[in-house]
Amino acid sequence: MTFVLPHTLHGTGPHKVVAVHGWFADRSAYDPIVPDLDREAFQYALVDLRGYGEAKEAGGAYTTAEGAADVLALADRLGWDRFSAVGHSMGGSVVQRVLATAPHRVRRLVGISPVPASGLPLPPEQWELFSAAAHTPENRRTIIDLTTGGRRPAAWLDRMVRRSMECSDPKAFRAWLDSWATEGFADEVAGSAVPALAVTGTLDPALSAELARQTWMQWYAESRLVELPSAGHYAMDETPLELLRVVEDFLRGDGGGPDTA
């Protein structure tokens, strides 16, 4: 039986959008913006990658390439020939893989604090922190605190860690790190003319606006960068309305219905 990414659909609009979560969450990562989505212009499919949420028990390679293939298979199942793709952090790498695999199917590309298509090399001490996070809640808390500028309430950090531990399989979580951090495929997307928006948070020292300028902005011919001054790495939680406005304004940029190029 073919694996189908668990997903929820929001809206009935002609512009189809797949949204992919990051390393620390399942599709509930998008919960803060769901109530305010433009459901008449767009139809969103929020997905759980293998090893997360309703797909927590799903086996697989846990790679960005596999994730992209799963997204495309879901789009086929939904009858979406062309769609826009939104990805947060690790999900940003997955949606860039979607573009690399099937460039003719992607209308617009959005990365929210996206991992670059070149991967994200980590120095040894950071690698230790990240790799041990699979089984160590304290490491996950440290990472979330660091990437939000050390400014968020302790209770929020604790809640983010709890959700992360509950919604992810440790083995899958660890395997995903190897893929998004070490596998580069920038040569497969460089020069793409698909309009591509990167949204970064000023409080995030890791996946910063400067990194986006060196990577995303160099690869995509029609690239844009928006930096949210009050956000860190988790803009959906930190500045949901600002994020949603920026993303939906960008998605509306092609101005048309389902078949607009």
Side-chain angles (χ1 to χ4, degrees):
M1 185 174 164
T2 307
F3 174 75
V4 179
L5 286 179
H7 60 282
T8 48
L9 295 175
H10 299 278
T12 56
H15 189 150
K16 310 305 184 183
V17 186
V18 176
V20 184
H21 61 80
W23 193 40
F24 272 62
D26 59 1
R27 67 184 189 257
S28 69
Y30 291 99
D31 282 357
I33 64 172
V34 164
D36 302 308
L37 296 172
D38 183 341
R39 293 156 189 267
E40 294 182 4
F42 306 105
Q43 184 175 41
Y44 290 89
L46 310 184
V47 305
D48 284 336
L49 295 171
R50 295 176 193 239
Y52 290 89
E54 289 181 39
K56 189 174 175 180
E57 308 301 325
Y62 310 117
T63 63
T64 57
E66 179 186 67
D70 286 342
V71 166
L72 288 163
L74 176 62
D76 290 343
R77 187 181 182 90
L78 295 172
W80 295 2
D81 182 48
R82 297 188 72 239
F83 55 93
S84 292
V86 177
H88 173 245
S89 193
M90 173 179 85
S93 181
V94 172
V95 297
Q96 288 175 88
R97 283 276 198 187
V98 171
L99 178 64
T101 305
H104 57 289
R105 299 189 65 178
V106 180
R107 283 176 71 158
R108 297 200 149 219
L109 185 72
V110 177
I112 303 164
S113 301
V115 170
S118 51
L120 190 69
L122 297 170
E125 66 279 4
Q126 281 191 24
W127 182 261
E128 183 60 34
L129 175 69
F130 277 62
S131 60
H135 296 280
T136 311
E138 293 79 7
N139 287 36
R140 297 196 193 199
R141 193 181 195 278
T142 297
I143 292 166
I144 296 169
D145 194 24
L146 286 171
T147 56
T148 52
R151 299 192 190 187
R152 300 308 176 208
W156 178 81
L157 296 172
D158 293 340
R159 177 166 63 83
M160 292 288 280
V161 171
R162 275 197 309 276
R163 179 181 72 179
S164 176
M165 297 298 293
E166 290 167 2
C167 79
S168 62
D169 172 73
K171 176 173 62 71
F173 185 90
R174 177 63 187 80
W176 276 107
L177 172 65
D178 286 337
S179 181
W180 65 256
T182 69
E183 295 172 2
F185 57 96
D187 56 335
E188 298 176 44
V189 296
S192 169
V194 171
L197 168 70
V199 184
T200 62
T202 300
L203 304 181
D204 182 2
L207 290 151
S208 63
E210 184 52 41
L211 180 63
R213 288 186 193 98
Q214 296 168 9
T215 55
W216 188 282
M217 299 296 287
Q218 302 301 313
W219 301 327
Y220 301 113
E222 284 195 54
S223 58
R224 300 181 203 174
L225 172 63
V226 174
E227 186 175 8
L228 300 176
S230 299
H233 190 66
Y234 298 91
M236 287 93 74
D237 287 273
E238 299 171 272
T239 58
L241 296 179
E242 288 88 343
L243 173 68
L244 185 57
R245 179 64 189 266
V246 166
V247 170
E248 289 196 332
D249 281 358
F250 173 76
L251 293 176
R252 281 192 194 89
D254 62 19
D259 299 317
T260 301

